[in-house]
Coordinates of all heavy atoms in Angstrom, one line a residue:
M3 N -17.7 -40.6 14.1 CA -16.4 -40.2 14.4 C -15.8 -39.7 13.0 O -15.0 -38.8 12.9 CB -15.6 -41.2 15.0 CG -14.2 -40.8 15.4 SD -14.3 -39.6 16.7 CE -12.8 -39.8 17.5
R4 N -16.1 -40.4 11.9 CA -15.6 -40.1 10.6 C -16.1 -38.7 10.0 O -15.4 -38.1 9.3 CB -15.9 -41.2 9.6 CG -15.1 -42.4 9.8 CD -15.3 -43.4 8.7 NE -14.3 -44.4 8.8 CZ -13.5 -44.8 7.8 NH1 -13.8 -44.3 6.6 NH2 -12.6 -45.6 8.0
A5 N -17.2 -38.3 10.5 CA -17.8 -37.0 10.0 C -17.0 -35.9 10.5 O -16.9 -34.8 9.9 CB -19.2 -36.9 10.5
F6 N -16.3 -36.0 11.7 CA -15.5 -34.9 12.2 C -14.1 -34.9 11.7 O -13.4 -33.9 11.9 CB -15.5 -35.0 13.7 CG -16.8 -34.8 14.4 CD1 -17.5 -35.8 14.9 CD2 -17.4 -33.5 14.4 CE1 -18.8 -35.6 15.5 CE2 -18.6 -33.3 15.0 CZ -19.3 -34.3 15.5
T7 N -13.6 -35.9 11.0 CA -12.2 -35.9 10.5 C -11.9 -34.8 9.6 O -10.9 -34.1 9.7 CB -12.0 -37.3 9.9 OG1 -12.2 -38.3 10.8 CG2 -10.5 -37.4 9.5
P8 N -12.8 -34.5 8.5 CA -12.4 -33.3 7.7 C -12.5 -32.0 8.4 O -11.6 -31.2 8.2 CB -13.6 -33.4 6.6 CG -14.1 -34.8 6.6 CD -13.9 -35.3 8.0
F9 N -13.4 -31.9 9.4 CA -13.4 -30.7 10.2 C -12.1 -30.5 11.0 O -11.5 -29.4 11.0 CB -14.6 -30.7 11.1 CG -14.7 -29.5 12.0 CD1 -14.9 -28.2 11.5 CD2 -14.4 -29.6 13.3 CE1 -15.0 -27.1 12.3 CE2 -14.5 -28.5 14.2 CZ -14.7 -27.2 13.6
I10 N -11.6 -31.6 11.6 CA -10.4 -31.5 12.3 C -9.2 -31.2 11.5 O -8.4 -30.3 11.7 CB -10.1 -32.8 13.2 CG1 -11.2 -32.9 14.3 CG2 -8.8 -32.8 13.8 CD1 -11.2 -34.2 14.9
G11 N -9.2 -31.8 10.3 CA -8.1 -31.6 9.4 C -8.1 -30.1 8.9 O -7.1 -29.5 8.7
L12 N -9.3 -29.6 8.7 CA -9.5 -28.2 8.2 C -9.0 -27.2 9.4 O -8.3 -26.2 9.1 CB -10.9 -27.9 7.9 CG -11.2 -26.5 7.4 CD1 -10.4 -26.2 6.1 CD2 -12.7 -26.3 7.1
A13 N -9.4 -27.6 10.6 CA -8.9 -26.7 11.8 C -7.4 -26.7 11.9 O -6.8 -25.7 12.2 CB -9.6 -27.2 13.0
V14 N -6.8 -27.9 11.7 CA -5.3 -28.0 11.8 C -4.7 -27.2 10.7 O -3.7 -26.5 10.9 CB -4.9 -29.4 11.8 CG1 -3.4 -29.5 11.7 CG2 -5.4 -30.2 13.0
F15 N -5.3 -27.3 9.5 CA -4.7 -26.6 8.4 C -4.8 -25.1 8.6 O -3.9 -24.3 8.3 CB -5.4 -27.0 7.1 CG -4.9 -26.3 5.9 CD1 -3.7 -26.5 5.3 CD2 -5.8 -25.3 5.3 CE1 -3.3 -25.9 4.2 CE2 -5.3 -24.7 4.1 CZ -4.1 -24.9 3.6
A16 N -5.9 -24.6 9.1 CA -6.1 -23.2 9.4 C -5.2 -22.7 10.4 O -4.6 -21.6 10.3 CB -7.6 -22.9 9.7
A17 N -5.1 -23.5 11.5 CA -4.1 -23.1 12.6 C -2.7 -23.0 12.0 O -1.9 -22.1 12.4 CB -4.2 -24.1 13.7
A18 N -2.3 -24.0 11.2 CA -1.0 -24.0 10.6 C -0.7 -22.7 9.7 O 0.4 -22.2 9.7 CB -0.7 -25.2 9.8
A19 N -1.8 -22.2 9.1 CA -1.6 -21.0 8.2 C -1.6 -19.7 9.1 O -0.9 -18.8 8.7 CB -2.8 -21.0 7.2
I20 N -2.4 -19.8 10.2 CA -2.5 -18.5 10.9 C -1.5 -18.3 11.9 O -0.9 -17.2 12.1 CB -3.9 -18.5 11.6 CG1 -5.0 -18.4 10.6 CG2 -4.1 -17.4 12.6 CD1 -6.4 -18.6 11.1
L21 N -1.0 -19.4 12.6 CA 0.0 -19.2 13.7 C 1.3 -18.6 13.3 O 1.8 -17.7 13.9 CB 0.2 -20.6 14.3 CG -1.0 -20.9 15.3 CD1 -0.6 -22.3 15.9 CD2 -1.1 -19.9 16.4
P22 N 1.9 -19.1 12.2 CA 3.2 -18.4 11.8 C 3.0 -16.9 11.5 O 3.9 -16.2 11.8 CB 3.6 -19.2 10.5 CG 2.9 -20.5 10.6 CD 1.6 -20.2 11.3
A23 N 1.9 -16.5 10.9 CA 1.7 -15.1 10.7 C 1.6 -14.3 12.0 O 2.1 -13.3 12.1 CB 0.5 -14.9 9.8
G24 N 0.9 -14.9 12.9 CA 0.7 -14.3 14.2 C 2.0 -14.3 15.0 O 2.4 -13.2 15.6
L25 N 2.8 -15.3 14.9 CA 4.1 -15.3 15.5 C 5.0 -14.3 14.9 O 5.8 -13.6 15.6 CB 4.7 -16.7 15.5 CG 4.1 -17.8 16.3 CD1 4.7 -19.0 16.1 CD2 4.0 -17.4 17.8
A26 N 5.0 -14.1 13.6 CA 5.8 -13.1 13.0 C 5.5 -11.8 13.3 O 6.3 -10.9 13.5 CB 5.8 -13.3 11.5
S27 N 4.2 -11.4 13.4 CA 3.8 -10.1 13.8 C 4.1 -9.8 15.3 O 4.4 -8.7 15.6 CB 2.3 -9.9 13.5 OG 1.5 -10.7 14.3
A28 N 4.0 -10.8 16.1 CA 4.3 -10.7 17.6 C 5.8 -10.4 17.7 O 6.1 -9.8 18.7 CB 3.8 -11.9 18.4
A29 N 6.6 -11.1 16.9 CA 8.1 -10.8 17.0 C 8.5 -9.4 16.7 O 9.5 -9.0 17.3 CB 8.8 -11.8 16.1
H30 N 7.7 -8.7 16.0 CA 8.1 -7.3 15.6 C 7.5 -6.2 16.5 O 7.6 -5.1 16.1 CB 7.8 -7.1 14.1 CG 8.6 -8.0 13.2 ND1 10.0 -7.9 13.1 CD2 8.2 -9.0 12.4 CE1 10.4 -8.8 12.3 NE2 9.3 -9.5 11.8
D31 N 6.7 -6.6 17.4 CA 6.1 -5.6 18.3 C 7.1 -4.8 19.0 O 8.0 -5.3 19.6 CB 5.1 -6.2 19.3 CG 3.8 -6.7 18.6 OD1 3.6 -6.3 17.5 OD2 3.1 -7.5 19.3
G32 N 7.0 -3.5 19.0 CA 8.0 -2.6 19.7 C 9.2 -2.3 18.9 O 10.0 -1.5 19.4
Q33 N 9.3 -2.9 17.8 CA 10.4 -2.5 16.9 C 10.0 -1.6 15.8 O 8.9 -1.6 15.4 CB 11.0 -3.8 16.3 CG 11.6 -4.8 17.2 CD 12.1 -6.0 16.5 OE1 12.0 -6.2 15.3 NE2 12.7 -6.9 17.2
P34 N 10.9 -0.7 15.5 CA 10.4 0.3 14.3 C 10.2 -0.5 13.1 O 10.7 -1.6 12.8 CB 11.6 1.2 14.3 CG 12.8 0.4 14.9 CD 12.2 -0.5 15.9
A35 N 9.4 0.1 12.2 CA 9.1 -0.5 10.9 C 10.4 -0.5 10.1 O 11.3 0.3 10.2 CB 8.1 0.4 10.2
A36 N 10.4 -1.6 9.2 CA 11.6 -1.8 8.4 C 11.8 -0.7 7.4 O 12.9 -0.3 7.1 CB 11.5 -3.1 7.7
R37 N 10.6 -0.2 6.9 CA 10.7 0.9 5.9 C 10.4 2.2 6.5 O 9.2 2.6 6.6 CB 9.7 0.6 4.8 CG 10.1 -0.6 4.0 CD 9.3 -0.8 2.8 NE 9.4 0.4 2.0 CZ 8.6 0.7 1.0 NH1 7.7 -0.2 0.6 NH2 8.8 1.8 0.3
T38 N 11.3 2.9 7.1 CA 11.0 4.2 7.8 C 10.9 5.3 6.8 O 10.4 6.3 7.1 CB 12.2 4.5 8.8 OG1 13.4 4.5 8.0 CG2 12.2 3.5 9.9
H39 N 11.3 5.1 5.5 CA 11.2 6.1 4.5 C 10.0 5.9 3.6 O 10.0 6.2 2.4 CB 12.5 6.1 3.6 CG 13.7 6.5 4.5 ND1 13.9 7.7 5.0 CD2 14.7 5.7 4.8 CE1 15.0 7.7 5.7 NE2 15.6 6.5 5.6
A40 N 9.0 5.2 4.1 CA 7.8 4.9 3.2 C 7.1 6.2 2.9 O 6.9 7.0 3.7 CB 6.9 3.9 3.9
R41 N 6.7 6.2 1.7 CA 5.9 7.4 1.2 C 4.6 6.8 0.5 O 4.6 6.2 -0.4 CB 6.7 8.1 0.1 CG 7.9 8.8 0.6 CD 8.8 9.4 -0.4 NE 10.0 10.0 0.1 CZ 11.0 9.3 0.4 NH1 11.1 8.0 0.3 NH2 12.1 9.9 1.0
A42 N 3.5 7.1 1.3 CA 2.3 6.6 0.9 C 1.7 7.4 -0.3 O 1.7 8.6 -0.3 CB 1.2 6.5 2.1
V43 N 1.0 6.7 -1.2 CA 0.3 7.3 -2.3 C -1.1 6.7 -2.4 O -1.2 5.4 -2.4 CB 1.0 7.1 -3.7 CG1 0.3 7.7 -4.8 CG2 2.4 7.7 -3.6
M44 N -2.1 7.5 -2.3 CA -3.5 7.0 -2.3 C -4.1 7.4 -3.7 O -3.8 8.4 -4.3 CB -4.2 7.7 -1.2 CG -3.7 7.4 0.1 SD -4.5 8.3 1.5 CE -6.2 8.2 1.2
I45 N -5.1 6.6 -4.1 CA -5.9 6.9 -5.3 C -7.0 7.8 -4.8 O -7.8 7.4 -4.0 CB -6.4 5.7 -6.0 CG1 -5.2 4.8 -6.5 CG2 -7.3 6.0 -7.2 CD1 -5.6 3.5 -7.0
C46 N -7.1 9.0 -5.3 CA -8.0 10.0 -4.8 C -8.8 10.6 -6.0 O -8.3 10.7 -7.1 CB -7.3 11.2 -4.1 SG -6.3 10.7 -2.7
G47 N -10.0 10.9 -5.7 CA -10.8 11.7 -6.7 C -10.5 13.1 -6.6 O -9.8 13.6 -5.7
T48 N -10.9 13.8 -7.7 CA -10.6 15.3 -7.7 C -11.7 16.2 -7.4 O -11.6 17.4 -7.5 CB -10.0 15.6 -9.2 OG1 -11.1 15.3 -10.1 CG2 -8.8 14.9 -9.5
D49 N -12.8 15.6 -7.0 CA -14.0 16.3 -6.6 C -13.8 17.0 -5.3 O -13.0 16.6 -4.4 CB -15.3 15.4 -6.6 CG -15.1 14.3 -5.6 OD1 -14.1 13.5 -5.8 OD2 -15.9 14.2 -4.7
P50 N -14.6 18.1 -5.0 CA -14.5 18.9 -3.8 C -14.7 18.0 -2.5 O -14.1 18.2 -1.5 CB -15.5 20.0 -3.9 CG -15.8 20.1 -5.4 CD -15.5 18.8 -6.0
A51 N -15.7 17.1 -2.6 CA -16.0 16.3 -1.4 C -14.8 15.5 -1.0 O -14.5 15.3 0.2 CB -17.2 15.5 -1.6
T52 N -14.1 14.8 -2.0 CA -12.9 14.1 -1.7 C -11.8 14.9 -1.1 O -11.1 14.5 -0.2 CB -12.4 13.4 -3.0 OG1 -13.5 12.5 -3.4 CG2 -11.2 12.4 -2.7
R53 N -11.6 16.1 -1.7 CA -10.6 17.0 -1.2 C -10.9 17.4 0.3 O -9.9 17.5 1.1 CB -10.5 18.3 -2.1 CG -9.9 18.0 -3.4 CD -9.9 19.3 -4.3 NE -9.4 19.0 -5.6 CZ -8.1 19.2 -5.9 NH1 -7.2 19.6 -5.0 NH2 -7.6 18.9 -7.1
R54 N -12.1 17.7 0.6 CA -12.5 18.0 2.0 C -12.2 16.9 2.9 O -11.7 17.0 4.0 CB -14.0 18.5 2.1 CG -14.2 19.9 1.6 CD -15.6 20.4 1.9 NE -16.6 19.5 1.5 CZ -17.3 19.5 0.3 NH1 -16.9 20.5 -0.5 NH2 -18.2 18.7 0.0
A55 N -12.6 15.6 2.5 CA -12.4 14.5 3.3 C -10.9 14.2 3.5 O -10.5 13.9 4.7 CB -13.0 13.3 2.7
F56 N -10.1 14.4 2.5 CA -8.7 14.2 2.6 C -8.1 15.2 3.6 O -7.3 14.8 4.5 CB -8.0 14.3 1.3 CG -6.6 14.0 1.3 CD1 -6.1 12.7 1.1 CD2 -5.6 15.0 1.6 CE1 -4.8 12.4 1.2 CE2 -4.2 14.7 1.6 CZ -3.9 13.4 1.4
A57 N -8.5 16.5 3.5 CA -8.0 17.5 4.4 C -8.4 17.2 5.8 O -7.6 17.5 6.7 CB -8.5 18.9 3.9
R58 N -9.6 16.7 6.0 CA -10.1 16.4 7.3 C -9.3 15.2 8.0 O -9.0 15.3 9.1 CB -11.6 16.1 7.3 CG -12.2 15.8 8.6 CD -13.7 15.6 8.5 NE -14.1 14.5 7.6 CZ -14.7 14.7 6.5 NH1 -15.2 15.9 6.1 NH2 -15.0 13.7 5.7
E59 N -9.0 14.3 7.2 CA -8.3 13.1 7.6 C -6.9 13.3 7.8 O -6.3 12.8 8.8 CB -8.5 12.0 6.6 CG -7.8 10.7 6.9 CD -8.6 9.9 8.0 OE1 -9.8 10.1 8.2 OE2 -7.9 9.1 8.7
H60 N -6.2 14.1 7.0 CA -4.7 14.2 7.0 C -4.3 15.6 7.4 O -3.1 15.9 7.5 CB -4.1 13.8 5.7 CG -4.4 12.4 5.3 ND1 -3.8 11.3 5.9 CD2 -5.3 11.9 4.4 CE1 -4.3 10.2 5.5 NE2 -5.2 10.5 4.5
G61 N -5.2 16.5 7.5 CA -4.8 17.9 8.0 C -4.2 18.8 7.0 O -3.6 19.9 7.3
A62 N -4.2 18.4 5.7 CA -3.7 19.2 4.6 C -4.4 18.9 3.4 O -5.0 17.8 3.2 CB -2.2 19.0 4.5
A63 N -4.4 19.8 2.4 CA -5.0 19.6 1.2 C -4.2 18.5 0.4 O -3.0 18.4 0.6 CB -5.0 20.9 0.3
P64 N -4.9 17.8 -0.4 CA -4.2 16.7 -1.2 C -3.2 17.3 -2.2 O -3.5 18.3 -2.9 CB -5.3 15.9 -1.8 CG -6.5 16.9 -2.0 CD -6.3 17.8 -0.8
I65 N -2.1 16.6 -2.3 CA -1.1 17.0 -3.3 C -1.0 15.8 -4.3 O -0.7 14.7 -3.9 CB 0.3 17.2 -2.6 CG1 0.3 18.3 -1.6 CG2 1.4 17.4 -3.7 CD1 1.5 18.5 -0.8
F66 N -1.4 16.1 -5.5 CA -1.4 15.1 -6.5 C -0.1 14.9 -7.2 O 0.7 15.9 -7.5 CB -2.5 15.4 -7.6 CG -3.9 15.1 -7.1 CD1 -4.5 16.2 -6.4 CD2 -4.5 14.0 -7.4 CE1 -5.8 15.9 -5.9 CE2 -5.8 13.8 -6.9 CZ -6.5 14.7 -6.2
V67 N 0.3 13.6 -7.4 CA 1.6 13.3 -8.1 C 1.2 12.5 -9.4 O 0.2 11.8 -9.4 CB 2.5 12.5 -7.2 CG1 3.0 13.3 -6.0 CG2 1.9 11.2 -6.7
T68 N 2.1 12.6 -10.3 CA 1.9 11.8 -11.6 C 2.7 10.5 -11.4 O 3.4 10.3 -10.4 CB 2.5 12.6 -12.7 OG1 3.9 12.8 -12.6 CG2 1.8 14.0 -12.9
A69 N 2.4 9.6 -12.3 CA 3.1 8.3 -12.3 C 4.6 8.5 -12.5 O 5.4 7.9 -11.7 CB 2.6 7.5 -13.5
R70 N 5.0 9.5 -13.2 CA 6.4 9.8 -13.5 C 7.1 10.3 -12.2 O 8.2 9.8 -11.8 CB 6.6 10.8 -14.6 CG 8.1 11.0 -15.0 CD 8.1 11.9 -16.2 NE 7.4 11.2 -17.2 CZ 8.0 11.1 -18.5 NH1 9.1 11.6 -18.8 NH2 7.3 10.4 -19.4
E71 N 6.4 11.2 -11.5 CA 6.9 11.7 -10.2 C 7.0 10.6 -9.2 O 8.0 10.5 -8.4 CB 6.1 12.8 -9.7 CG 6.1 14.1 -10.5 CD 5.0 15.1 -10.1 OE1 4.0 14.7 -9.5 OE2 5.2 16.3 -10.5
A72 N 6.0 9.7 -9.1 CA 6.1 8.6 -8.1 C 7.2 7.6 -8.4 O 7.9 7.1 -7.5 CB 4.7 7.9 -8.1
L73 N 7.5 7.4 -9.7 CA 8.6 6.5 -10.0 C 9.9 7.1 -9.9 O 10.9 6.4 -9.6 CB 8.5 6.1 -11.5 CG 7.3 5.1 -11.8 CD1 7.1 5.0 -13.3 CD2 7.6 3.7 -11.2
S74 N 10.0 8.5 -9.8 CA 11.3 9.1 -9.7 C 11.7 9.4 -8.2 O 12.8 10.0 -8.0 CB 11.3 10.4 -10.5 OG 10.5 11.3 -9.9
V75 N 10.8 9.0 -7.3 CA 11.1 9.3 -5.9 C 12.3 8.4 -5.4 O 12.3 7.2 -5.7 CB 9.9 9.0 -5.0 CG1 10.2 9.1 -3.5 CG2 8.8 10.0 -5.3
R76 N 13.3 9.0 -4.8 CA 14.5 8.3 -4.3 C 14.4 8.2 -2.8 O 13.7 8.9 -2.1 CB 15.8 9.0 -4.6 CG 15.9 9.3 -6.1 CD 16.4 8.1 -6.8 NE 16.6 8.4 -8.2 CZ 16.1 7.6 -9.2 NH1 15.5 6.5 -8.8 NH2 16.3 7.9 -10.4
T77 N 15.1 7.2 -2.2 CA 15.1 7.0 -0.8 C 15.8 8.2 -0.1 O 15.5 8.5 1.1 CB 15.8 5.7 -0.4 OG1 17.1 5.8 -0.9 CG2 15.1 4.5 -0.9
S78 N 16.6 9.0 -0.8 CA 17.3 10.1 -0.2 C 16.4 11.3 -0.1 O 16.7 12.4 0.5 CB 18.6 10.4 -0.9 OG 18.3 10.7 -2.3
D79 N 15.3 11.3 -0.8 CA 14.3 12.4 -0.8 C 13.7 12.5 0.6 O 13.5 11.6 1.3 CB 13.2 12.3 -1.9 CG 13.8 12.4 -3.3 OD1 14.9 12.9 -3.5 OD2 13.1 11.9 -4.2
P80 N 13.2 13.8 0.9 CA 12.6 14.0 2.2 C 11.3 13.1 2.3 O 10.6 12.9 1.3 CB 12.3 15.4 2.3 CG 13.0 16.1 1.2 CD 13.4 15.0 0.2
V81 N 11.0 12.7 3.5 CA 9.8 11.9 3.7 C 8.6 12.9 3.7 O 8.7 13.9 4.2 CB 9.9 11.2 5.1 CG1 8.6 10.4 5.4 CG2 11.1 10.3 5.1
W82 N 7.4 12.3 3.2 CA 6.2 13.1 3.1 C 5.5 13.1 4.5 O 5.4 12.1 5.1 CB 5.3 12.6 2.1 CG 5.9 12.6 0.7 CD1 6.9 13.3 0.2 CD2 5.5 11.7 -0.4 NE1 7.2 13.0 -1.1 CE2 6.4 12.0 -1.5 CE3 4.6 10.7 -0.5 CZ2 6.3 11.4 -2.7 CZ3 4.5 10.0 -1.7 CH2 5.3 10.4 -2.8
N83 N 5.0 14.3 4.9 CA 4.2 14.4 6.1 C 2.8 13.7 5.9 O 2.4 13.0 6.9 CB 4.0 15.8 6.6 CG 5.4 16.4 7.0 OD1 6.2 15.7 7.4 ND2 5.5 17.6 6.8
A84 N 2.3 13.9 4.8 CA 0.9 13.3 4.5 C 1.0 12.5 3.2 O 1.9 12.8 2.4 CB -0.2 14.4 4.4
P85 N 0.1 11.5 3.1 CA 0.2 10.7 1.8 C -0.1 11.7 0.6 O -0.7 12.7 0.7 CB -0.9 9.7 1.9 CG -1.5 9.9 3.3 CD -0.9 11.1 3.9
R86 N 0.5 11.3 -0.5 CA 0.2 12.0 -1.8 C -1.0 11.3 -2.4 O -1.3 10.2 -2.2 CB 1.4 12.0 -2.7 CG 2.6 12.6 -2.1 CD 2.4 14.1 -2.0 NE 3.6 14.8 -1.8 CZ 3.9 15.5 -0.6 NH1 3.2 15.4 0.4 NH2 5.1 16.1 -0.5
C87 N -1.6 12.1 -3.3 CA -2.8 11.5 -4.1 C -2.4 11.3 -5.5 O -1.5 11.9 -6.1 CB -3.9 12.5 -4.0 SG -4.8 12.4 -2.4
M88 N -3.1 10.4 -6.2 CA -2.9 10.0 -7.5 C -4.3 9.7 -8.1 O -5.1 9.0 -7.5 CB -2.0 8.8 -7.6 CG -1.6 8.4 -9.1 SD -0.5 6.9 -9.0 CE 1.1 7.7 -8.5
T89 N -4.5 10.2 -9.3 CA -5.8 9.8 -9.9 C -5.8 8.4 -10.4 O -4.7 7.8 -10.5 CB -6.1 10.8 -11.2 OG1 -5.0 10.5 -12.1 CG2 -6.1 12.2 -10.7
A90 N -7.0 7.8 -10.7 CA -7.0 6.5 -11.2 C -6.3 6.3 -12.4 O -5.6 5.2 -12.7 CB -8.5 6.1 -11.3
R91 N -6.3 7.3 -13.3 CA -5.7 7.2 -14.6 C -4.1 7.2 -14.4 O -3.4 6.4 -15.0 CB -6.1 8.3 -15.5 CG -5.3 8.3 -16.9 CD -5.8 7.1 -17.7 NE -4.9 7.1 -18.8 CZ -4.3 5.9 -19.3 NH1 -4.6 4.8 -18.7 NH2 -3.5 6.0 -20.3
E92 N -3.6 8.0 -13.5 CA -2.2 8.0 -13.2 C -1.7 6.8 -12.5 O -0.7 6.2 -12.8 CB -1.8 9.2 -12.4 CG -1.8 10.6 -13.1 CD -0.8 10.6 -14.2 OE1 0.4 10.0 -14.0 OE2 -1.0 11.2 -15.2
H93 N -2.6 6.2 -11.7 CA -2.3 4.9 -11.1 C -2.1 3.8 -12.1 O -1.2 3.0 -12.1 CB -3.4 4.5 -10.1 CG -3.0 3.2 -9.4 ND1 -3.6 2.0 -9.8 CD2 -2.1 2.8 -8.5 CE1 -3.1 1.0 -9.1 NE2 -2.2 1.5 -8.2
S94 N -3.0 3.8 -13.2 CA -2.9 2.8 -14.2 C -1.6 3.0 -15.0 O -0.9 2.0 -15.3 CB -4.1 2.7 -15.1 OG -4.2 3.9 -15.8
R95 N -1.2 4.2 -15.2 CA 0.0 4.5 -15.9 C 1.2 4.0 -15.0 O 2.2 3.5 -15.5 CB 0.2 6.0 -16.1 CG -0.6 6.5 -17.3 CD -0.4 8.0 -17.5 NE -1.3 8.4 -18.5 CZ -1.8 9.7 -18.6 NH1 -1.4 10.6 -17.7 NH2 -2.6 10.0 -19.6
Y96 N 1.2 4.3 -13.7 CA 2.2 3.9 -12.8 C 2.3 2.3 -12.8 O 3.4 1.8 -12.8 CB 1.9 4.4 -11.4 CG 2.8 3.9 -10.3 CD1 4.1 4.5 -10.1 CD2 2.4 2.9 -9.4 CE1 4.9 4.1 -9.2 CE2 3.3 2.4 -8.4 CZ 4.6 3.0 -8.3 OH 5.4 2.6 -7.4
R97 N 1.2 1.7 -12.7 CA 1.2 0.2 -12.7 C 1.8 -0.4 -14.0 O 2.6 -1.3 -14.0 CB -0.2 -0.3 -12.5 CG -0.4 -1.8 -12.3 CD -1.8 -2.3 -12.1 NE -2.5 -1.9 -13.3 CZ -3.6 -1.2 -13.3 NH1 -4.2 -0.9 -12.2 NH2 -4.3 -1.0 -14.4
D98 N 1.3 0.2 -15.1 CA 1.9 -0.2 -16.4 C 3.4 0.0 -16.5 O 4.1 -0.8 -17.0 CB 1.1 0.5 -17.5 CG -0.3 0.1 -17.6 OD1 -0.7 -0.9 -17.0 OD2 -1.1 0.8 -18.3
A99 N 3.9 1.1 -16.0 CA 5.2 1.4 -16.1 C 6.0 0.5 -15.1 O 7.1 0.0 -15.5 CB 5.5 2.9 -15.7
A100 N 5.6 0.3 -14.0 CA 6.2 -0.6 -13.1 C 6.3 -2.1 -13.6 O 7.3 -2.8 -13.5 CB 5.5 -0.6 -11.7
T101 N 5.2 -2.5 -14.3 CA 5.1 -3.8 -14.9 C 6.1 -3.9 -16.1 O 6.8 -4.9 -16.2 CB 3.8 -4.1 -15.3 OG1 2.8 -4.0 -14.3 CG2 3.7 -5.6 -16.0
T102 N 6.2 -2.9 -16.8 CA 7.1 -2.9 -18.0 C 8.5 -2.9 -17.4 O 9.4 -3.6 -18.0 CB 6.9 -1.6 -18.9 OG1 5.6 -1.7 -19.3 CG2 7.8 -1.6 -20.0
F103 N 8.8 -2.1 -16.4 CA 10.1 -2.1 -15.8 C 10.6 -3.5 -15.3 O 11.7 -3.9 -15.5 CB 10.2 -1.0 -14.7 CG 11.6 -0.9 -14.1 CD1 12.6 -0.3 -14.8 CD2 11.8 -1.4 -12.8 CE1 13.9 -0.2 -14.1 CE2 13.0 -1.3 -12.2 CZ 14.1 -0.7 -12.9
A104 N 9.6 -4.1 -14.6 CA 10.0 -5.4 -14.1 C 10.2 -6.5 -15.2 O 11.0 -7.3 -15.1 CB 8.9 -5.9 -13.2
A105 N 9.4 -6.3 -16.3 CA 9.6 -7.2 -17.4 C 10.9 -7.0 -18.1 O 11.5 -8.0 -18.6 CB 8.4 -7.1 -18.4
V106 N 11.4 -5.8 -18.2 CA 12.7 -5.6 -18.8 C 13.9 -6.1 -18.0 O 14.8 -6.5 -18.5 CB 12.8 -4.0 -19.1 CG1 14.2 -3.7 -19.6 CG2 11.8 -3.6 -20.1
R107 N 13.7 -6.0 -16.7 CA 14.8 -6.4 -15.8 C 14.8 -7.9 -15.9 O 15.6 -8.6 -15.8 CB 14.6 -5.9 -14.4 CG 14.9 -4.5 -14.3 CD 15.0 -4.1 -12.8 NE 16.2 -3.4 -12.8 CZ 17.0 -3.4 -11.7 NH1 16.6 -3.9 -10.6 NH2 18.1 -2.7 -11.6

């Protein structure tokens, strides 16, 4: 009987961690997303194969944005129909700028 005690404790711990997340997601079913003005930015390559895959997936050629452009987007700006792309280098600049901005605040 003692061999099963850690297993039962682990099962109870896992259920306690999973159930609140499931209840929270079930509570929002049928409701619109909280962020209706979300603008997705993906890290994309600049090679032709990636451009073709993006166009096939999203129905339009990728539009690349810089870190500065992504940081300057306002909630009053029009919503994007397709996600924008960002190179890996621009993403690191974006991440560094956001981290610096958070540290200053």
Side-chain angles (χ1 to χ4, degrees):
M3 188 69 154
R4 289 185 164 229
F6 292 108
T7 304
F9 176 68
I10 292 171
L12 182 61
V14 169
F15 180 71
I20 293 171
L21 283 178
L25 292 175
S27 65
H30 295 296
D31 287 346
Q33 295 180 357
R37 295 187 58 189
T38 57
H39 299 291
R41 291 170 184 84
V43 177
M44 299 171 50
I45 298 174
C46 304
T48 56
D49 58 302
T52 303
R53 290 178 179 270
R54 284 191 305 271
F56 185 91
R58 183 177 54 247
E59 181 73 24
H60 299 288
I65 300 172
F66 284 85
V67 294
T68 63
R70 186 174 300 227
E71 291 170 341
L73 288 168
S74 67
V75 172
R76 304 280 180 229
T77 56
S78 60
D79 292 344
V81 178
W82 301 335
N83 294 331
R86 298 294 194 248
C87 284
M88 184 179 284
T89 62
R91 178 65 189 135
E92 284 298 321
H93 179 261
S94 64
R95 286 181 183 151
Y96 175 79
R97 187 183 59 233
D98 293 343
T101 304
T102 302
F103 179 73
V106 171
R107 286 193 128 207

